Amino acid sequence: MEKRISSVSASMFADSAMPEGPLVHGEDIEAVRETILAKLALVQGKVPTSASDRDWFIAASLAARDRIVHRWGESKRQMRRENRKRVYYLSLEFLIGRLLGEVLNNLELTATFQAALGDLGVDLDHMFSSEPDAALGNGGLGRLAACFVESMATLSIPAVGYGIRYDHGLFRQVIKDGVQQEYPETWLSFGNPWEFERPEIIYDIGFGGHVDTVTLSGGAKRSVWHPNETVEAVAFDTPIVGWKGRRVNPLRLWSARAVDPLRLDIFNSGDHVGALMTQARAEAISKVLYPSDETPAGQELRLRQEYFFVSASLQDLVNRHRRVFGDVRSLPDRAAIQLNDTHPAIAVAELMRILVDVLGLEWDEAWDITVRTLSYTNHTLLPEALETWSVSLFERMLPRHVQIIYQINARHLEEAARRTVSEAELKALSLIDERDDRRVRMGHLAFVGSHRINGVSALHTELMRHTVFKDLHNLYPERIVSKTNGITFRRWLHRANPRLSRLAMELCGEDVLDDPTRLKRLEAYADDPEVQDRLAQIRHDNKGALTRAIGHSLNINVNPAALFDVQIKRIHEYKRQLLNLLETVALYEAMRAGPNQDWVPRVKIFGGKAAATYHQAKLIIRLANDIAKVVNNDESIRGLLKVAFMPNYNVSMAETIIPASDLSEQISTAGMEASGTGNMKLGLNGAITIGTLDGANVEIHEQVGADNIFIFGLRAEEVHERLKSGHDSAAAIEASPMLSQVIAAISSGAFSPEEPGRYAPIVDALLHNDRFLVTADFDSYYETQRRVDELWRDKRAWWAMSIRNIANMAWFSSDRTIREYAAEIWRTDVPPPVV
């Protein structure tokens, strides 16, 4: 199972922020300054006069890291003393963004470092931009994982996050002539000061080969897998710092490498490139997040990635458990393994392989341990997003795991048959989809192998019970529970919007930093004109920063006094950026037709990446840029409407956009968004939501009240009925003169005169296959946007609503979510908030 592992160097664990944070002492500043200068000289080999911004960033990061290491060591010692249950969080994505600002914030050292660097002539805020965003994720899934591991550290939960150390991430998005182009991220090109390479922690990961059945001395039979390919998983640890440094937990990421980096025999024969093929094949596993699966080779690489990181993580945690606790039979009492979405579902079969084949447990005992240890978070209701893999691919890549899955399935179906389910229900329950090309249903595998399966909002959880997991829920009715997502306020309020954070501390008390629920006190000030004016000024200043960013990136001049209307998320048809664009065109046409009306100035801001092979989503990006080109250059509307598509949207860009946002677009087709967390981040910073009753919008509606949110469109049950009965999109378009005009303009080439038929695929989908009911919700959406205009004209009412949104986001802290996971899924204790 394990190639080699030794304990982490003892020296690693030797004893040894916030705006207007703790009092900064001169000796603290002096110590930090001297440490930074030492790192600059001894690590970067530079003197201050020749140091670049990146040199200063590396030196400051290493100085901060030194302070983390001591706390990390204490966290390890505390864990050993307390012998508490450990949580292992497996996720294919961790979108942690830049770390220096978050680390200093959580250690309450921002002011100290600012003063120390200021004495050296270095601006800390400017230096932050020298840090590249860690290219470890794409969207909400990865950002949720990042919030969760930070909250676990803040709540002093012993935990390890497990993932892949991607060399080049998803991709760096460049918009050229309106078209998305993909280039590799280069975040690791010049090193990463936050990570600790662990060359002593390496595991062998097998692929392919064959399985033998051997008879043991007592007559029992045991399966032995003989892989024909082995890849090494090397550990890299990044410390995750909780609030006030109360705990530091590791994020352990695996990098793939070949056992032998070079075939010397092939090299010496003259085939210098061929000699590197084994290395290239192995390292491809950790090169890119979500490689295209449109080809058989791409599908194979996806499965190799998932098994690679799951196997390394399970070997690691089982090995750690046996070192500390001895008997693996106590694993469910000492460890909780959370599968973040379906990507790590192979953990069910891999844990069974380790327990049965490697450690020699009997099947029933191993299955009991597996189910009681694992739990699974589902993040989608779209059937096409629930991963399946062809049985033939599994047999070739993971032959032992296919055997295990078939045995799990046989016992699972035997149990179902005892409950007198029908033949049709048995087919629906099976882990193997027998239709056409037989496929392994990974969502089913994760469900059957876990003791708890959670949705990520109340609506999503209820829909899970009645749609994608209906039959499994009927068989195991106690397993599905709801855990509405949350966000870390340390990152998305205190770090991203420090002036708003100071206002919250002044009005709600400084304990709001320790207990996010105290933010609720802000609601008492909703109608206070002075507080409204202060919030308006904070927003205006934040919009000034975003205005400069838009100008720098896109060379577009926007008015910071305009309403900033924001939709920032992964580009997907169900998220309905297209609906927003159609309304943009309708508004543009109305402004041109009525130039003397009292129009509310708007800036429509978009950001997000489309999967490299998702052609319709990429076409939507191009449409957004073509609309922007026409609208932004039309002098007849006098700058009243501007459109900006911000390229390469990431965490750092979000930290600029979100504090400057007035209106939060959460307009997915009802019943298709599992939760969303952008809605929470924007609401926390005072943006007012316009959205459908989908995902966590439902809970936001409950928390802020119906009078403080703009809801439109079909409800989830209405969407279901409309799709079931057949939506006549052509009739819906014909019934809406405005929508007809908009589609006609796009279809005629008004926004693509050089290629009039460019958007025929979008128009055809709207006319003949509107699966996401854009045409059904358009009129309701347009009318609701005009209600937004009316409110914007009444500034007192607008800012009162904004304050109520901030106050009532208190419930959406990831600390609350993690407490619920700990109590109801992981069954581990969490201390109360330290105030």
Side-chain angles (χ1 to χ4, degrees):
M1 174 173 68
E2 170 195 3
K3 181 168 184 180
R4 59 183 178 271
I5 183 168
S6 63
S7 60
V8 177
S9 171
S11 64
M12 281 294 303
F13 299 121
D15 284 314
S16 112
M18 279 303 307
E20 294 188 3
L23 183 64
V24 179
H25 298 288
E27 60 268 25
D28 296 333
I29 297 171
E30 178 64 25
V32 167
R33 184 168 57 246
E34 292 305 315
T35 303
I36 292 173
L37 288 172
K39 299 296 183 185
L40 188 68
L42 299 177
V43 178
Q44 295 302 98
K46 293 289 187 70
V47 295
T49 53
S50 65
S52 66
D53 288 344
R54 179 167 177 80
D55 291 327
W56 285 113
F57 156 67
I58 295 291
S61 298
L62 293 175
R65 197 180 76 163
D66 285 353
R67 285 149 179 80
I68 295 171
V69 167
H70 298 295
R71 298 169 192 248
W72 196 359
E74 177 53 35
S75 295
K76 296 281 286 187
R77 289 189 292 274
Q78 182 182 5
M79 183 168 61
R80 294 190 187 105
R81 288 195 304 269
E82 296 177 352
N83 249 355
R84 292 174 59 200
K85 193 172 191 176
R86 305 176 189 198
V87 174
Y88 300 101
Y89 196 84
L90 274 62
S91 179
L92 206 57
E93 296 185 39
F94 286 93
L95 202 59
I96 56 178
R98 295 170 175 164
L99 286 181
L100 179 57
E102 181 172 80
V103 165
L104 296 181
N105 181 52
N106 279 9
L107 293 177
E108 299 183 289
L109 288 174
T110 301
T112 303
F113 271 66
Q114 196 160 34
L117 286 163
D119 290 345
L120 298 168
V122 179
D123 180 80
L124 178 62
D125 291 330
H126 175 74
M127 193 188 68
F128 284 143
S129 63
S130 298
E131 180 176 9
D133 274 52
L136 298 172
N138 176 29
L141 181 77
R143 188 52 235 173
L144 180 77
C147 285
F148 276 9
V149 292
E150 193 270 356
S151 278
M152 283 185 253
T154 291
L155 297 175
S156 296
I157 296 174
V160 180
Y162 281 117
I164 294 178
R165 181 181 178 266
Y166 302 103
D167 293 342
H168 301 297
L170 183 72
F171 57 80
R172 177 171 55 88
Q173 182 192 57
V174 173
I175 304 297
K176 185 174 182 180
D177 298 326
V179 178
Q180 171 181 291
Q181 297 183 351
E182 302 90 22
Y183 295 89
E185 290 275 13
T186 56
W187 73 292
L188 290 174
S189 294
F190 301 101
N192 175 9
W194 300 109
E195 67 184 9
F196 293 86
E197 184 174 2
R198 306 298 192 200
E200 74 280 8
I201 302 177
I202 299 176
Y203 292 96
D204 285 345
I205 313 299
F207 296 99
H210 67 280
V211 181
D212 287 337
T213 301
V214 299
T215 303
L216 304 180
S217 57
K221 296 187 181 299
R222 186 75 65 209
S223 294
V224 179
W225 178 26
H226 301 280
N228 62 10
E229 179 187 4
T230 299
V231 175
E232 291 183 341
V234 183
F236 288 77
D237 288 350
T238 297
I240 302 298
V241 183
W243 173 235
K244 293 187 175 178
R246 291 176 187 139
R247 183 173 187 87
V248 179
N249 284 329
L251 172 60
R252 176 158 289 179
L253 304 175
W254 301 104
S255 185
R257 73 181 188 190
V259 176
D260 296 311
L262 179 70
R263 284 287 305 276
L264 270 176
D265 55 335
I266 297 176
F267 188 87
N268 289 329
S269 73
D271 186 359
H272 303 147
V273 174
L276 298 170
M277 291 299 292
T278 301
Q279 179 190 34
R281 176 173 167 80
E283 292 182 356
I285 291 173
S286 54
K287 284 293 182 187
V288 175
L289 169 66
Y290 300 139
S292 170
D293 58 0
E294 287 196 335
T295 65
Q299 294 164 19
E300 178 181 316
L301 181 54
R302 284 273 191 109
L303 182 57
R304 282 165 66 86
Q305 280 188 329
E306 293 177 5
Y307 177 66
F308 166 81
F309 106 88
V310 164
S311 178
S313 303
L314 291 180
Q315 290 185 63
D316 191 49
L317 70 89
V318 169
N319 197 21
R320 181 185 298 111
H321 177 86
R322 294 178 70 207
R323 274 202 322 272
V324 175
F325 300 110
D327 192 349
V328 75
R329 291 171 177 82
S330 65
L331 188 65
D333 302 317
R334 298 295 188 179
I337 302 173
Q338 188 72 38
L339 310 179
N340 189 32
D341 212 4
T342 315
H343 308 120
I346 191 63
V348 176
E350 174 66 0
L351 186 53
M352 286 296 291
R353 185 190 71 82
I354 292 171
L355 295 174
V356 174
D357 294 358
V358 179
L359 300 180
L361 272 63
E362 294 301 320
W363 181 277
D364 289 343
E365 186 177 29
W367 184 246
D368 177 68
I369 291 171
T370 296
V371 174
R372 289 197 294 128
T373 304
L374 295 177
S375 48
Y376 160 50
T377 302
N378 173 270
H379 285 276
T380 183
L381 294 167
L382 300 177
E384 63 268 26
L386 285 173
E387 282 189 324
T388 64
W389 298 109
S390 72
V391 171
S392 60
L393 176 61
F394 246 103
E395 289 172 336
R396 181 164 55 84
M397 294 291 302
L398 301 169
R400 176 56 181 145
H401 297 76
V402 170
Q403 295 177 348
I404 291 170
I405 289 168
Y406 270 111
Q407 191 165 352
I408 293 170
N409 196 40
R411 292 171 179 244
H412 160 60
L413 294 179
E414 285 174 9
E415 172 65 23
R418 282 196 291 269
R419 304 191 187 188
T420 65
V421 299
S422 68
E423 186 67 24
E425 288 172 318
L426 283 176
K427 289 182 179 179
L429 287 166
S430 177
L431 306 187
I432 310 297
D433 185 347
E434 300 286 354
R435 297 170 298 180
D436 303 323
D437 175 29
R438 291 183 305 148
R439 302 186 70 83
V440 181
R441 294 165 164 157
M442 302 306 286
H444 280 48
L445 177 63
F447 192 112
V448 170
S450 300
H451 69 280
R452 286 289 181 271
I453 296 87
N454 72 281
V456 290
S457 70
L459 176 63
H460 170 232
T461 303
E462 193 59 26
L463 290 172
M464 278 172 55
R465 293 182 176 123
H466 295 98
T467 57
V468 291
F469 292 134
K470 175 183 176 181
D471 298 289
L472 287 166
H473 172 62
N474 290 337
L475 189 61
Y476 305 106
E478 76 290 348
R479 291 196 182 183
I480 294 181
V481 296
S482 179
K483 295 287 165 280
T484 298
N485 285 342
I487 59 173
T488 170
F489 288 14
R490 270 86 55 186
R491 184 67 172 254
W492 294 109
L493 176 60
H494 307 315
R495 166 77 189 133
N497 201 343
R499 291 183 60 197
L500 179 57
S501 177
R502 286 197 291 270
L503 180 62
M505 284 188 285
E506 177 186 332
L507 300 177
C508 303
E510 294 208 2
D511 55 357
V512 73
L513 299 183
D514 299 281
D515 183 0
T517 64
R518 307 298 174 91
L519 193 62
K520 180 76 174 173
R521 299 168 180 169
L522 192 63
E523 190 166 21
Y525 299 91
D527 296 312
D528 186 321
E530 181 184 349
V531 174
Q532 292 178 4
D533 290 344
R534 292 176 66 184
L535 176 59
Q537 186 61 52
I538 291 169
R539 179 78 53 78
H540 184 271
D541 293 344
N542 291 336
K543 289 165 79 171
L546 178 55
T547 295
R548 291 188 292 275
I550 292 172
H552 176 75
S553 178
L554 301 173
N555 197 28
I556 298 172
N557 294 319
V558 301
N559 177 9
L563 189 157
F564 278 23
D565 180 349
V566 172
Q567 189 173 18
I568 42 174
K569 53 185 76 234
R570 179 168 55 94
I571 310 298
H572 196 290
E573 289 170 278
Y574 88 84
K575 295 179 182 288
R576 299 203 297 189
Q577 285 89 355
L578 180 58
L579 177 60
N580 192 346
L581 291 172
L582 296 179
E583 191 272 338
T584 302
V585 174
L587 179 59
Y588 169 62
E589 296 289 357
M591 285 180 169
R592 290 209 305 166
N596 296 321
Q597 292 186 37
D598 181 22
W599 296 106
V600 168
R602 278 203 190 219
V603 180
K604 291 268 195 173
I605 300 168
F606 297 86
K609 298 177 181 180
T613 57
Y614 190 174
H615 305 294
Q616 195 79 339
K618 293 177 77 170
L619 196 59
I620 290 170
I621 290 176
R622 189 168 192 182
L623 176 60
N625 283 284
D626 275 349
I627 291 171
K629 184 167 60 176
V630 172
V631 170
N632 296 341
N633 291 292
D634 189 338
E635 295 182 0
S636 72
I637 60 171
R638 309 185 315 281
L640 290 170
L641 179 63
K642 291 292 182 78
V643 180
F645 188 98
M646 299 293 285
N648 205 39
Y649 176 67
N650 58 19
V651 175
S652 297
M653 188 180 294
E655 291 174 332
T656 299
I657 295 175
I658 288 172
S661 301
D662 295 310
L663 188 66
S664 165
E665 297 272 358
Q666 309 299 329
I667 59 178
S668 53
T669 311
M672 295 190 183
E673 182 71 85
S675 171
T677 53
N679 45 9
M680 303 170 193
K681 295 164 195 153
L682 286 154
L684 178 65
N685 283 271
I688 296 168
T689 299
I690 179 169
T692 53
L693 281 177
D694 193 24
N697 290 355
V698 175
E699 282 103 326
I700 291 175
H701 178 264
E702 293 170 353
Q703 293 292 324
V704 306
D707 293 336
N708 297 298
I709 188 171
F710 290 97
I711 296 296
F712 73 93
L714 299 173
R715 275 35 175 184
E717 61 275 12
E718 294 171 324
V719 167
H720 176 75
E721 288 302 320
R722 184 73 63 94
L723 292 175
K724 184 178 178 181
S725 62
H727 171 58
D728 189 344
S729 54
I733 294 169
E734 186 178 353
S736 171
M738 185 176 297
L739 181 56
S740 298
Q741 180 182 357
V742 168
I743 293 176
I746 293 171
S747 182
S748 69
F751 300 97
S752 55
E754 68 280 12
E755 187 184 351
R758 178 178 293 165
Y759 298 109
I762 288 176
V763 173
D764 288 346
L766 289 173
L767 285 168
H768 306 298
N769 186 29
D770 185 14
R771 295 187 298 138
F772 303 101
L773 301 182
V774 171
T775 55
D777 279 348
F778 174 83
D779 283 346
S780 175
Y781 178 57
Y782 186 87
E783 292 162 5
T784 304
Q785 286 282 21
R786 304 294 73 80
R787 288 172 47 215
V788 171
D789 288 341
E790 292 173 13
L791 183 70
W792 180 258
R793 293 186 181 98
D794 184 348
K795 293 302 188 213
R796 290 299 177 205
W798 181 276
W799 292 113
M801 188 182 292
S802 180
I803 292 169
R804 291 189 180 97
N805 270 267
I806 297 169
N808 288 292
M809 287 296 121
W811 187 77
F812 294 97
S813 165
S814 52
D815 295 354
R816 183 270 311 160
T817 312
I818 290 300
R819 286 183 184 279
E820 292 180 4
Y821 271 92
E824 301 169 33
I825 296 179
W826 304 331
R827 295 167 186 161
T828 184
D829 295 331
V830 179
V834 178
V835 178

